[in-house]
Amino acid sequence: MKRTILLSVIALNCIVAAAVTFRYKGKSLKTSERCLLVDENGGGDKFVFKTVQEALLQAEKVSGKDRKTTFIYIKPSVYWLDNPDDPEIRRPKAGETTPFAVEVTMSKVRLIGLSDNAEDVVLACNRGQTQGADGNFTMLHITGSDIGAENITFGNYCNVDLVYKRDTTRNRAKRKDAIVQAQIAICQGENYRLKNCRFISRLNLCPFVGARDTRFDYCYFECTDDALCGTGIYNHCRLTLYSGKPFYTTDAEGGVLFNDCDLHSKTQGTQYLTKVSGPVEMTNCRWTSDDPNLRIEWCKRPDPRHRCVMSGCTLNGKPLDVPTPTEPLPLILPPFALQAQGDIVPGGWTLDCHKPLDTAEYNWTADNTRPAWGFAEGVDGAEGSWGLVQTQRGARMMFTPADESMAVSKQKCVVELDPCKSAGQGFGSATGQYLDICIKFDTRTLTGYGLRLMRTPDYDRAVVALLVEYNNGKVAQLTEPLRCDLFKRGCRVELNADGERLTAKIANESIADTPQLISATMPHPNAFGGFHLQHTGSIGPSATVIRSIRLQ
C-alpha cells in the first residue's frame, strides 16, 4: 500500500514537473488545462501541442465545464490548419454547402500569438471554390461566444502568396491567380474580440463573420468583394481594398462603425462600401487611392432608412464628404414571373427549368413547380437593364418552329444580354455555371449546335467561349475554350449556321475591343430550325438579363 502511494506521488510530481514555462508580456506562465501552448517543436507535456487543431480540440473539451477562460498561446511559425499538399478535394458535409478545415464548439477562449508582430504567427490554409475545394472553403467554423484573438495572421493563401519574413523557407506561392471565394472564419455566437490581427485573402474574406457583436482593434485586412464582417466595429484598423464593394451588406439595425481607420483603395473610378444598402458610419478615417479621381459612395442605391454618416474623413489628404442618403430609394419592382411552360408546342416558346446532364455532379435540382424566368431589372453590373432574368438555377427557354418537318439549311440568331457580374466573370463560381445559346436545334431530342459562355477556375474577370454540339442532351465541344472579356453589360452574340459551318460573333457595344469570332464545322449537319438557351448559373447578382432575341 505504501509503495502504491509512493508511486502515485512520484507520478504526480512528474506531471507537475513536466509543465512548460514560457513568457508573455514579461510574465512567466505555465501550461495547464486552461493555459495551452502551441509549439511545433514542443512536447513533454500534455498541454503543449504541435498543431493549432489539437489545441482547439482541447479547448473544446473543457469549454462549458466552468466559467473560466481557456488561453491558447501560439509560438511564432506558420501553422497549416489544412494540409496544402494533400491533393484531395475538400467537400462539405452531407446536407451542407461549405467545407471547413476545423469546426469547434467552444466559448470563453483566447488565441494569443507570442509576438507583438502579428506577421510572426500565421494560421494558414490555401483552398477556395474550385481550387482545392468544392464550395467556399473556410478555415474555421466556431460555434460559441466570448472568443478572442491577438497577435495572429489568419490567411487563406489560395490567391495570395504567403510571405513569411522570419523564415523564407516557409513561403508558399498561391494556388492560382484567378480569384475565387476563399474564406477565413464563420461564427455563431456573440462577443468576438480581435486585436492586432491580420486577415489575408481576397474574395469573401469573412474575418469572423456571423457573430452578433464583433470588434476589431488595430487589425489589418486585405480583400475584394463581399468580404468584411457586417456586424463589426473597426477601431484603428488598416484596410487594403482590391475591389469596389468590400461588404455585401451590413447589419440592418446596428450596421458597422469605422473609427480612426486607414483605408487604401485599389479601385479605379468609384469605390463603394456595400453591394446592397446597409448602415455604415465612418469617423476620422483616412482614405488613400492610386486613382486621383476616385469617388467614394455608400452603394449604388443607398437606402435613406439606413444610417450612413461620414465625419472628419479625408481622401488623399483632402476633406471627404459623402452625403448621408436622403433621396427615396429608386423603385425596384419584383420580377414579373413568367409562368413555367414546359410543353413543346410548334410555333411556341418553352420556358422551364432544366438540369443538363453535364451538371450532374453539382448539387442543385430543377424545380418546375415555380417559374424559372421573370421580367425584371438587373442588379449591379446590369442595373437599369430590363429583360428576362433567371429566377432559379437551370432556367431554360426554347423555340420550336411551327412546321417542324420543314428543312432549314441556314439559320441565324442575335441575342443581346447584360450580365449582372460587372467584372466579366459572368457567373457566381466555376461550378458548372454557363450560358448556352443554340440554333439548328431540335427541342424534342436536345440536338443541335451552339455557343457556350462559361466561368472556369482560370479567370476571375473573364469567361471562356467555345462552340458545342448537342446530341440527345449530351454536349461535346467543337472548339478549344478561348478567353472572352466581352461578357459584360452590352454583350451581343450572333450565331450563324450556313451549310456545314457554324460561326459565333461576340461583341460588346461598350468595349472597343475587336469582336471575337469562333468558327467550326458541324460534324453532323441537320435540318432543324429550333432555338435553345440554357442558363446554369446562380441567380440574383450572378444572373444575366436577356434583353432581346432575334431569330431568322
Side-chain angles (χ1 to χ4, degrees), residues 182-327:
Q183 303 174 168
I184 298 294
I186 296 175
C187 315
Q188 291 175 272
E190 58 185 2
N191 192 28
Y192 280 65
R193 297 291 180 264
L194 297 310
K195 183 178 180 181
N196 189 34
C197 288
R198 302 170 71 245
F199 301 96
I200 310 297
S201 188
R202 289 295 183 263
L203 185 60
N204 290 27
L205 174 68
C206 292
F208 291 86
V209 303
R212 291 176 57 191
D213 177 19
T214 304
R215 177 169 173 157
F216 302 93
D217 293 312
Y218 300 96
C219 291
Y220 173 72
F221 306 80
E222 285 186 12
C223 63
T224 60
D225 282 355
D226 303 341
L228 296 176
C229 173
T231 58
I233 296 175
Y234 300 79
N235 288 316
H236 320 294
C237 292
R238 294 185 303 115
L239 302 94
T240 302
L241 307 178
Y242 284 86
S243 68
K245 305 175 186 74
F247 293 97
Y248 177 77
T249 189
T250 63
D251 181 69
E253 296 182 2
V256 298
L257 170 65
F258 290 87
N259 175 51
D260 188 32
C261 292
D262 291 279
L263 304 96
H264 182 70
S265 172
K266 295 287 189 179
T267 299
Q268 300 292 310
T270 302
Q271 172 73 61
Y272 298 101
L273 271 296
T274 66
K275 183 176 289 185
V276 175
S277 184
V280 180
E281 186 171 349
M282 306 194 80
T283 304
N284 299 327
C285 292
R286 297 159 294 278
W287 285 85
T288 55
S289 171
D290 299 329
D291 178 3
N293 298 314
L294 183 78
R295 294 181 58 192
I296 296 176
E297 297 183 10
W298 300 115
C299 69
K300 285 191 174 183
R301 293 178 181 240
D303 191 329
R305 294 174 300 176
H306 296 151
R307 177 177 170 80
C308 293
V309 179
M310 189 174 291
S311 60
C313 297
T314 59
L315 171 58
N316 290 334
K318 297 180 180 179
L320 175 63
D321 179 23
V322 181
T324 298
T326 57
E327 295 295 324

Side-chain angles (χ1 to χ4, degrees), residues 274-495:
T274 66
K275 183 176 289 185
V276 175
S277 184
V280 180
E281 186 171 349
M282 306 194 80
T283 304
N284 299 327
C285 292
R286 297 159 294 278
W287 285 85
T288 55
S289 171
D290 299 329
D291 178 3
N293 298 314
L294 183 78
R295 294 181 58 192
I296 296 176
E297 297 183 10
W298 300 115
C299 69
K300 285 191 174 183
R301 293 178 181 240
D303 191 329
R305 294 174 300 176
H306 296 151
R307 177 177 170 80
C308 293
V309 179
M310 189 174 291
S311 60
C313 297
T314 59
L315 171 58
N316 290 334
K318 297 180 180 179
L320 175 63
D321 179 23
V322 181
T324 298
T326 57
E327 295 295 324
L329 191 67
L331 180 64
I332 302 178
L333 296 175
F336 177 77
L338 302 178
Q339 188 62 40
Q341 171 53 269
D343 295 334
I344 294 176
V345 180
W349 286 87
T350 301
L351 299 174
D352 65 357
C353 189
H354 176 70
K355 185 174 175 65
L357 296 175
D358 58 10
T359 65
E361 66 180 287
Y362 302 104
N363 185 27
W364 61 274
T365 58
D367 180 4
N368 278 300
T369 64
R370 57 191 178 94
W373 293 94
F375 183 75
E377 180 186 3
V379 298
D380 207 11
E383 181 182 346
S385 175
W386 288 81
L388 296 183
V389 179
Q390 308 81 43
T391 59
Q392 60 168 307
R393 192 169 180 180
R396 177 178 70 169
M397 65 173 69
M398 300 188 295
F399 178 77
T400 303
D403 185 355
E404 296 180 72
S405 64
M406 184 179 69
V408 176
S409 60
K410 297 181 180 180
Q411 190 178 8
K412 174 182 177 181
C413 81
V414 177
V415 180
E416 295 180 330
L417 37 84
D418 291 330
C420 293
K421 289 290 188 184
S422 58
Q425 72 275 44
F427 307 91
S429 61
T431 53
Q433 300 196 29
Y434 58 78
L435 172 66
D436 280 355
I437 302 173
C438 303
I439 55 176
K440 299 290 287 180
F441 205 82
D442 180 13
T443 59
R444 299 183 187 277
T445 63
L446 302 184
T447 298
Y449 294 92
L451 172 73
R452 173 166 292 186
L453 298 164
M454 178 171 63
R455 183 168 182 178
T456 72
D458 299 320
Y459 309 112
D460 60 351
R461 294 179 175 272
V463 295
V464 298
L466 64 154
L467 298 181
V468 297
E469 178 184 20
Y470 271 73
N471 184 6
N472 293 306
K474 295 182 179 180
V475 179
Q477 67 179 53
L478 299 179
T479 60
E480 291 298 316
L482 299 175
R483 174 174 177 145
C484 177
D485 297 290
L486 303 173
F487 194 50
K488 302 177 182 179
R489 185 178 187 136
C491 184
R492 184 178 187 271
V493 172
E494 181 179 318
L495 277 178

Side-chain angles (χ1 to χ4, degrees), residues 14-67:
C14 288
I15 292 174
V16 173
V20 172
T21 301
F22 61 97
R23 299 187 68 79
Y24 176 64
K25 290 189 175 180
K27 295 181 179 180
S28 180
L29 303 174
K30 286 186 178 181
T31 55
S32 66
E33 185 180 61
R34 297 290 184 173
C35 182
L36 314 180
L37 178 64
V38 179
D39 179 358
E40 63 181 354
N41 299 312
D45 178 50
K46 65 178 181 178
F47 299 120
V48 177
F49 304 90
K50 293 187 177 183
T51 70
V52 173
Q53 296 93 311
E54 293 173 311
L56 288 171
L57 292 176
Q58 170 61 25
E60 183 179 47
K61 287 180 183 178
V62 300
S63 180
K65 277 187 176 182
D66 50 43
R67 298 180 62 83

